[in-house]
Amino acid sequence: RSGKLTPSQVAKNIIAVLEDCDKSTPPLRAIVQWDREQIMLMAEASTTRYKNKCTLSHLDGIPVCLKEEFKVVPYHHRVGTEYLGTEPETEDATVAKKLREAGAIIIGVSNMHELGTGTTGCNPNGYHKIPRNPYKPNHYTGGSSSGSAAAVAAGLCPVAIGTDGGGSVRIPASFCGVVGLKGSTFGRISSHGCLPLSYSTVGVGPICTSVADAAIVYSVLAEPDPLCPYGLKQPKATLSNMCAPDLRGLKLGVDWTFFKACDAEILSICEKAVEFLRSQGASVVEVFLPEMEEVRVAHGISILSEMRDFLQPDFNKHFQQLNLETRISLAVACQFTALDYITANRQRTRSMGFLREIFSTVNCILTPATASTAPRIHDSDLVTGFSDFSLTVRAMRFMQLGNFTGIPGLVVPVGYSAAGLPINLQVMTKWWDEATLLRVGLKLEQFRHQTKKPSVYYDILA
């Protein structure tokens, strides 16, 4: 707005960075498809709008990327595979369309775990390779929206869009030390034009450098979409009371037994963050989250059964082109029966009932974001990939409740491990109450006194 910089200048910087970051050792691999001409076209149009003082929204001229799970013209909709998206897309996903209409500059599509089937971001196939954690390039970004989190943490763009069926926005945001928002699962943000891998657990949301940025993106994207029937009956999205001066009147629920099921370093920082929220006027109330082991198993059965159902033709036809880890996940999924799936959905109804009771006494539920920090990348992973079920369980431990029952969740950076890896805290609220999430998140952001610069960082405004 001041005129000191134009979107065109920023776009030129980003193009230079995109050329550089994949020549580095190791390559960042955050953005896997981009087009110089497309970026400059959008940037020049935005520059003209700023010059004529007729900008389209707060996102006008802002660089964004979208996970490869979304259709984005003119890129290939590969969804992390070698065999999908043989032709360039000719129609945008609703989210991409909305970002264009808001004047954002789409800098490309971001890397992802193949078909969204994992929590590390490990994708050794030819088109993708393994994206690197900007804080520690020999560690994973988290998945499955791996490139989205890496792009934001490395400074390539302040906004990236991901999907989250089992923590796929919140895990990479946490491993990379940025903010991640999963909207209410039931179509709060449209998933039209996104590969329908799991229709009952996936929420769409932004990964951003700050909670305020996440709120801006949410306000642009969150509304019913006629092409996405799940969200047609949703209440109007609002940001009311988000900027209240303190947290007075809010009750924050913590199940301390569940909360403590994480590494000691994470627990220590997250406990202090909870105390900080108390100092901001909130009251912290002990709650009990029942049947969390049943939730874990039932969520796993639900998401894997739905993915296996949708990917059955791929499993039969493209088996040899799938990563080994994806084959394992889909092979495990075919062991579930119709009875398992029905029983899992009965558990969903029970768990939603428990949450309805809990949210009648508290406004939010607090947990650590992940039970451990970003795992290390081993040399063999680059060739054969990587599968570690116990690590997946630890990454997803605090994520599954939100996906399984559809409540929204926000992860906010609160500190670092002794090794310098990021640690985030998670806030969850009742269905459709993202405004309260963002209100708590804005205060929580003040807890971390210092943001450490990642070892891989590009200043696109320089």
Side-chain angles (χ1 to χ4, degrees), residues 412-428:
V412 178
V414 289
Y416 305 91
S417 70
L421 287 162
I423 292 169
N424 282 31
L425 186 81
Q426 176 173 234
V427 189
M428 294 181 281

Side-chain angles (χ1 to χ4, degrees), residues 1 3-18 35-51 55 59-63 103-107 459-462:
R1 283 186 189 152
K4 286 180 185 173
L5 266 176
T6 67
S8 296
Q9 286 171 286
V10 174
K12 283 173 186 165
N13 292 348
I14 289 169
I15 289 165
V17 164
L18 288 170
D35 183 285
R36 177 195 304 266
E37 197 176 313
Q38 289 287 322
I39 295 169
M40 287 312 300
L41 271 174
M42 285 181 270
E44 282 157 9
S46 179
T47 298
T48 302
R49 289 192 294 272
Y50 272 98
K51 192 176 170 185
T55 50
L59 288 180
D60 207 326
I62 302 298
I105 300 169
I106 298 173
I107 66 166
D459 184 354
I460 58 167
L461 302 182

Side-chain angles (χ1 to χ4, degrees), residues 52-376:
N52 296 334
K53 294 189 168 43
C54 61
T55 50
L56 299 170
S57 78
H58 288 303
L59 288 180
D60 207 326
I62 302 298
V64 304
C65 69
L66 292 95
K67 184 179 186 179
E68 203 180 53
E69 200 169 328
F70 293 95
K71 293 181 177 181
V72 183
V73 179
Y75 303 110
H76 296 265
H77 189 218
R78 293 192 177 115
V79 199
T81 71
E82 286 189 318
Y83 64 88
L84 287 173
T86 52
E87 297 296 324
E89 277 308 310
T90 55
E91 192 179 335
D92 278 330
T94 297
V95 170
K97 185 167 172 276
K98 279 180 170 296
L99 290 169
R100 282 191 212 276
E101 288 168 354
I105 300 169
I106 298 173
I107 66 166
V109 293
S110 49
N111 206 342
M112 63 176 285
H113 206 107
E114 187 178 65
L115 295 169
T117 55
T119 60
T120 57
C122 179
N123 189 352
N125 79 38
Y127 285 129
H128 298 87
K129 302 299 182 193
I130 297 175
R132 303 299 179 134
N133 191 317
Y135 276 92
K136 294 260 177 181
N138 57 347
H139 285 251
Y140 281 108
T141 56
S144 63
S145 308
S146 47
S148 293
V152 172
L156 297 176
C157 51
V159 175
I161 308 298
T163 59
D164 189 315
S168 286
V169 160
R170 292 162 294 153
I171 293 168
S174 304
F175 281 176
C176 293
V178 289
V179 172
L181 170 66
K182 177 192 86 74
S184 292
T185 293
F186 312 107
R188 179 55 115 185
I189 297 174
S190 174
S191 59
H192 175 74
C194 178
L195 203 71
L197 293 166
S198 171
Y199 45 85
S200 79
T201 67
V202 173
V204 176
I207 295 173
C208 299
T209 42
S210 71
V211 175
D213 288 352
I216 290 167
V217 180
Y218 169 75
S219 69
V220 169
L221 298 181
E223 66 175 355
D225 174 13
L227 300 171
C228 183
Y230 293 117
L232 289 180
K233 301 287 186 184
Q234 63 178 273
K236 189 169 173 54
T238 166
L239 295 177
S240 62
N241 220 17
M242 184 183 118
C243 297
D246 55 42
L247 298 179
R248 282 177 214 282
L250 286 187
K251 292 180 178 175
L252 310 179
V254 181
D255 179 331
W256 285 109
T257 304
F258 186 54
F259 192 100
K260 290 176 179 177
C262 61
D263 289 353
E265 273 186 311
I266 292 175
L267 178 60
S268 171
I269 288 171
C270 287
E271 281 178 329
K272 291 187 182 96
V274 172
E275 280 310 305
F276 174 79
L277 292 174
R278 196 198 299 266
S279 76
Q280 297 297 301
S283 53
V284 177
V285 179
E286 186 151 3
V287 295
F288 172 57
L289 296 172
E291 301 180 2
M292 289 309 294
E293 180 60 17
E294 287 82 348
V295 165
R296 183 181 75 79
V297 174
H299 169 265
I301 290 168
S302 299
I303 190 170
L304 282 170
S305 296
E306 290 170 11
M307 289 177 115
R308 177 65 202 233
D309 168 51
F310 181 73
L311 295 170
Q312 180 70 14
D314 301 54
F315 189 73
N316 292 336
K317 191 175 173 187
H318 298 286
F319 184 83
Q320 296 301 332
Q321 290 164 283
L322 292 169
N323 290 335
L324 295 173
E325 183 193 6
T326 310
R327 295 185 208 175
I328 292 169
S329 299
L330 294 177
V332 167
C334 75
Q335 300 304 308
F336 299 131
T337 64
L339 182 61
D340 293 328
Y341 185 70
I342 290 165
T343 307
N345 276 287
R346 285 188 178 135
Q347 178 64 46
R348 192 196 307 262
T349 305
R350 281 177 66 82
S351 296
M352 290 173 84
F354 295 142
L355 282 180
R356 206 169 281 117
E357 286 176 34
I358 290 166
F359 284 127
S360 70
T361 60
V362 298
N363 303 93
C364 302
I365 296 169
L366 304 179
T367 70
T370 57
S372 52
T373 52
R376 193 178 174 86

